[in-house]
Amino acid sequence: SYALEIQTPEGGFGLEGLLRQKSRALRLAGIQNAVDADWDPRTDRLIAQNYGRDDFFAARRECKLALQARLGLDVDAKVVLIGYVGRLAWQKGVDLLGGSVDWLLGGALHGLSGRAQVIMMGDGEHKYQQVLRECQQKHPGSVCGFVGFDAILERQMMAGCDLIVMPSRYEPCGLPQMAAAIYGALPVVASTGGLQDSVRGLNEGLDRATGFLMPSPVSDIYLRQTLRQAMEVYFLQPGRFQQMQRNAMGQAFRWEAAINAYQQQIALVLAASTQRL
């Protein structure tokens, strides 16, 4: 999808004309990213307890409790634990998530209020670092604003969070939504670029759904609507939520498919070059 988006005025940032020419000449293609094989909750030594697609519920609960304890959050398996991992930049929509924390933890979510915790980890622009710090200071025990990046903590978030949020304004592909799916943390993503290529919503049926997609262009309203939908499924329809987790964990997102796609594109370029000679 991103290869198409960058051929538009909205996504091309002035280069859309050149990129359309490249596309017509078969010199532009989109290839989905991939996750290394060591990202596997069955064997990952960095998480509190290992698990697989068929036995994840109790183990992920233990991972959640361990994550909460490590970060100084109230240790409570009954809350929905929402995570964000990424650069602190406008592109990533972290301002939208930070601006929705009061709403998530306040009284606006009738029947769901006070039943969420939020972990935001990332490094980047100073103003967004302040957003993370202020959210944590305002909501101790319910919010962790981790400024910086910790590779071990990232793994533990994938194993312990219930939802991983990516409200990106544009996204060539993204990796956190893939890692989250493999570990059973359902991605909540913007319908843009590689995010919409790698996450399937409930509109495609419960047997295929792997996460939640917010309409594009992303906004605080769409983010909150989609988070509310995800929380309603989590709390009110746990069987459906767990089925979505099984669907998500059944995806591969490994390098074999990406390597095949690269090989095909290289073969096309070489064939065209030979023809010109």
Side-chain angles (χ1 to χ4, degrees), residues 7 29 35 56 59 61 67 77 86 98 114 116 122 129 141 147 152 157 173 181 203 210 224 226 234 236 271 274:
Q7 297 178 57
V35 179
F56 64 84
R61 180 182 184 276
L67 178 62
Q129 294 179 11
V147 176
I152 296 176
M157 287 177 65
C173 187
N203 61 303
T210 61
R224 295 178 188 187
T226 310
Y234 178 81
L236 306 179
T274 302

Side-chain angles (χ1 to χ4, degrees), residues 66-85:
L67 178 62
Q68 291 171 323
R70 172 181 173 177
L71 297 178
L73 298 174
D74 295 335
V75 178
D76 184 354
K78 295 181 180 179
V79 301
V80 60
L81 187 53
I82 301 168
Y84 168 88
V85 179

Side-chain angles (χ1 to χ4, degrees), residues 12 22-23 30 49 72 89 94 105 113 133 156 169-170 198 217 233 236 243:
K22 293 293 185 182
S23 179
Q49 190 167 326
V94 66
L105 303 180
S113 300
R133 294 188 178 105
Q156 294 169 349
R169 291 179 166 94
Y170 61 92
S198 54
V233 176
L236 306 179
Q243 180 59 53

Side-chain angles (χ1 to χ4, degrees), residues 165-177:
V165 185
M166 296 182 68
S168 303
R169 291 179 166 94
Y170 61 92
E171 192 67 64
C173 187
L175 278 173
Q177 84 279 7

Side-chain angles (χ1 to χ4, degrees), residues 9 13 20-21 33 151 157 195 219 251 274 277:
F13 293 94
R20 283 195 297 268
Q21 292 176 9
N33 218 329
M157 287 177 65
L195 298 179
S219 66
Q251 300 173 107
T274 302
L277 292 175

